[in-house]
Amino acid sequence: RKEVEQDPGPFNVPEGATVAFNCTYSNSASQSFFWYRQDCRKEPKLLMSVYSSGNEDGRFTAQLNRASQYISLLIRDSKLSDSATYLCVVNSGGSNYKLTFGKGTLLTVNP
Amino acid sequence: EAGVVQSPRYKIIEKKQPVAFWCNPISGHNTLYWYRQNLGQGPELLIRYENEEAVDDSQLPKDRFSAERLKGVDSTLKIQPAELGDSAVYLCASSRRGNTIYFGEGSWLTVV
């Protein structure tokens, strides 16, 4: 089993749609979790951290289920500018930040 | 604040040739990472430095890859000799210990 597995995608949705990305991780000792966004031919950038209590940033909501070792990202009211690859990232190194990235899920938002 | 700077942005070399990539991290970031990203995959860690010490190089193919961060600031990653399978984007990243990691734009390597 891969350390971090994501929905393979790609996702094609119309503007205004709600889209959800799912991710599972295998290392139960993992301590912190993130979603990164990567635009085509650009570097990954932190979108948001994921907390056990769930957290929201505008149209983006992240959830963590430690018991199921499952992470999700929900995007509401999709915009054209949300088109990108979304990378699920798991830190198993504590403050040493040993990050393991998923393969990413490509989202295309269509007009 | 300047971001992570990498060079060259693009490099095309023939197999068996050497290649080197350079990275200048964000000022004050003592942790520096080199990642490799293959097409359609997420980044994979090659090596992590805390200041000038390589604290995690378990994924670095040491037969052909080497890295250094002599003064705890800039870093170079070298491949010698390059193989076709080394074609990828080489991403440098930096952080203050235990904080958000910031990536550079990457060095795109094509081995022909």
Side-chain angles (χ1 to χ4, degrees):
Chain A
R1 181 182 173 187
K2 291 185 179 178
E3 286 193 59
V4 180
E5 293 202 63
Q6 295 187 237
D7 291 331
F11 286 19
N12 283 279
V13 302
E15 272 188 289
T18 296
V19 61
F21 301 112
N22 301 310
C23 172
T24 57
Y25 60 95
S26 60
N27 186 347
S28 59
S30 298
Q31 299 177 14
S32 50
F33 310 87
F34 312 91
W35 285 99
Y36 272 69
R37 170 193 168 128
Q38 187 170 25
D39 292 297
C40 186
R41 302 184 70 82
K42 296 289 189 180
E43 74 274 23
K45 293 183 179 178
L46 178 65
L47 178 66
M48 59 196 302
S49 300
V50 187
Y51 303 115
S52 297
S53 55
N55 48 299
E56 190 172 302
D57 182 2
R59 298 181 293 106
F60 298 82
T61 301
Q63 297 276 356
L64 167 65
N65 184 322
R66 286 186 183 271
S68 302
Q69 295 179 201
Y70 168 86
I71 307 160
S72 66
L73 176 69
L74 185 75
I75 305 176
R76 293 182 299 279
D77 188 22
S78 300
K79 311 293 185 189
L80 296 178
S81 58
D82 294 334
S83 297
T85 295
Y86 291 83
L87 296 158
C88 177
V89 187
V90 173
N91 172 31
S92 57
S95 61
N96 291 322
Y97 264 52
K98 186 177 178 67
L99 298 186
T100 301
F101 287 75
K103 290 178 63 173
T105 303
L106 175 63
L107 170 67
T108 302
V109 181
N110 301 301
Chain B
E1 182 181 79
V4 177
V5 179
Q6 292 188 243
S7 69
R9 287 295 317 280
Y10 304 96
K11 189 76 175 178
I12 302 174
I13 62 170
E14 293 184 344
K15 61 182 180 182
K16 300 185 181 179
Q17 294 302 304
V19 63
F21 305 112
W22 174 81
C23 173
N24 180 242
I26 294 172
S27 178
H29 283 194
N30 56 313
T31 307
L32 184 146
Y33 311 78
W34 281 103
Y35 283 85
R36 175 170 61 188
Q37 186 172 22
N38 292 305
L39 189 64
Q41 304 292 319
E44 295 179 328
L45 180 68
L46 292 174
I47 190 167
R48 176 171 65 90
Y49 283 92
E50 292 291 342
N51 300 305
E52 65 274 11
E53 182 183 0
V55 295
D56 184 354
D57 63 356
S58 56
Q59 301 301 312
L60 189 72
K62 298 182 183 62
D63 56 336
R64 297 183 301 107
F65 286 65
S66 64
E68 60 182 15
R69 192 184 185 199
L70 292 176
K71 296 183 179 179
V73 181
D74 294 3
S75 177
T76 57
L77 176 70
K78 298 178 181 178
I79 309 174
Q80 183 170 13
E83 297 179 351
L84 295 176
D86 295 332
S87 295
V89 182
Y90 291 84
L91 292 160
C92 181
S94 71
S95 71
R96 296 184 194 277
R97 193 164 186 268
N99 282 282
T100 301
I101 293 176
Y102 295 89
F103 286 87
E105 292 184 300
S107 292
W108 292 67
L109 174 66
T110 301
V111 182
V112 297

